[in-house]
Amino acid sequence: MVLVPPPFDPELGIALAAVGPSDPSGPSLADIAALRGVAESAVPAYDLTDGGAFTTTDLTVPGPEGAPDISLFVVRPLAPPGDGPRPVIYHSHGGGMVLGNNRAGVEVVLEWARELDAVVVSVEYRLAPEHPYPAGVEDVYAGLLWTARHAGELGGDPERIVVAGASAGGGLTAALALLSRDREGPRPLGQVLMYPMLDDRNDTPSAHQMAGVGAWDRTANETAWTAVLGEARGGPDVPSHAAPARASDLSGLPPAFLDVGSAETFRDEVVDYASRIWRDGGVAELHVWPGGFHGFDAFAPHTVLARTARAARIAWLRRLLAR
């Protein structure tokens, strides 16, 4: 049976078509170094101080035991705080766990910081394939430990840390919530999982539907997961701290916001993850954006659907922080 992909939102379809057709063969492991160069050159110039509204700092803090130190990029509002310390957004960047740095995707989170008067801490983690699992998630966990212990020094509230990430960063954020629960570490107030990369098995109907179509197709996903997990990818012994979709128990997690496009590889794994949070008695808000491809809101932020998705995240955060 041939699986027909759902249509793109018309406005998004025009934006995607403008960059040309997707490569049906997808990237291989040998392509990762070249992709890093392309990704770095394609990042648009963005003023991460937002015209002087924020101050930025690079910090080097202890990494996991026996591993190198890690870099945190901290963005703080310059205006005096309101009542008490500010909430903290702890951000993990996207890039398939093979690309990116702690500046990637921060412009999206700065919208939240501006609206919610929050501090942003964005973590740099070691990338695969040079540093396979568990390097990435252990770095992200070490950064959260430091942030929770030192939030007050940043003007932040250790009781109001929200963990967040998009794509691979969303998958790492979900893994972070599981790891912190299982180790009885810091408990985030909430988790924002934007089209998260959750399942190394890469075998859902949406993964097959979107093969060779849109952004981040099934082949790209397989390449990235293989970089992270090697020959274990797709096998029976992958732990949930590597691929959160493998978790059998999703109870005891912070409230979650999850969103994903209807026309992307990760649709079905994200829907299933939200459903299992509910099954296990947890709190989750799920949005499936009709006609959205992977990363549509960052790729085409001017579109109606992108603006709607971004507004929904801020609205959820506002409700969460008001509790």
Side-chain angles (χ1 to χ4, degrees):
M1 177 182 176
V2 176
L3 293 174
V4 178
F8 296 126
D9 170 86
E11 196 177 12
L12 291 175
I14 292 169
L16 189 61
V19 302
S22 303
D23 181 355
S25 64
S28 67
L29 287 173
D31 297 325
I32 288 175
L35 285 173
R36 287 175 182 164
V38 171
E40 289 175 7
S41 64
V43 173
Y46 186 87
D47 177 12
L48 293 175
T49 72
D50 195 23
F54 296 96
T55 181
T56 64
T57 309
D58 285 287
L59 300 177
T60 300
V61 305
E65 184 175 356
D69 291 344
I70 57 175
S71 173
L72 300 178
F73 179 58
V74 180
V75 187
R76 289 176 284 179
L78 273 176
D83 297 331
R86 293 177 161 106
V88 178
I89 309 296
Y90 182 76
H91 172 254
S92 301
H93 67 81
M97 290 182 273
V98 299
L99 310 171
N101 57 39
N102 58 15
R103 262 77 169 167
V106 170
E107 69 276 7
V108 173
V109 185
L110 281 188
E111 291 184 6
W112 310 350
R114 186 168 56 248
E115 293 290 328
L116 304 168
D117 191 31
V119 174
V120 174
V121 178
S122 187
V123 60
E124 184 129 344
Y125 53 87
R126 287 169 290 170
L127 300 175
E130 297 88 344
H131 304 284
Y133 172 80
V137 70
E138 290 290 355
D139 286 353
V140 170
Y141 183 70
L144 178 64
L145 287 177
W146 187 93
T147 300
R149 292 167 182 162
H150 297 269
E153 300 167 23
L154 306 176
D157 185 347
E159 301 299 321
R160 293 197 299 161
I161 298 175
V162 178
V163 293
S167 192
L172 282 168
T173 297
L176 175 63
L178 289 165
L179 187 61
S180 199
R181 178 199 68 180
D182 296 343
R183 292 182 179 174
E184 298 183 349
R187 178 174 170 82
L189 185 66
Q191 52 179 326
V192 181
L193 312 179
M194 298 174 281
Y195 31 87
M197 179 180 172
L198 299 169
D199 196 342
D200 67 293
R201 290 165 292 195
N202 198 27
D203 200 32
T204 62
S206 60
H208 287 280
Q209 276 182 313
M210 304 309 297
V213 181
W216 199 257
D217 78 337
R218 186 167 184 259
T219 303
N221 201 39
E222 181 170 324
T223 295
W225 276 117
T226 302
V228 175
L229 297 172
E231 294 182 358
R233 187 205 68 78
D237 300 321
V238 173
S240 61
H241 298 155
R246 298 294 195 122
S248 59
D249 177 11
L250 296 181
S251 64
L253 295 174
F257 177 99
L258 307 94
D259 69 352
V260 70
S262 68
E264 71 155 290
T265 300
F266 296 156
R267 182 196 66 220
D268 294 341
E269 63 197 68
V270 173
V271 171
D272 178 69
Y273 199 75
S275 296
R276 292 194 294 119
I277 290 175
W278 295 323
R279 180 202 67 188
D280 291 341
V283 176
E285 178 170 319
L286 170 67
H287 294 261
V288 181
W289 301 112
F293 55 78
H294 186 67
F296 70 92
D297 65 298
F299 183 84
H302 61 283
T303 58
V304 171
L305 196 67
R307 295 198 303 270
T308 303
R310 290 189 174 203
R313 296 169 194 152
I314 291 173
W316 183 85
L317 284 164
R318 197 181 300 281
R319 293 194 303 273
L320 177 77
L321 293 171
R323 292 178 183 175

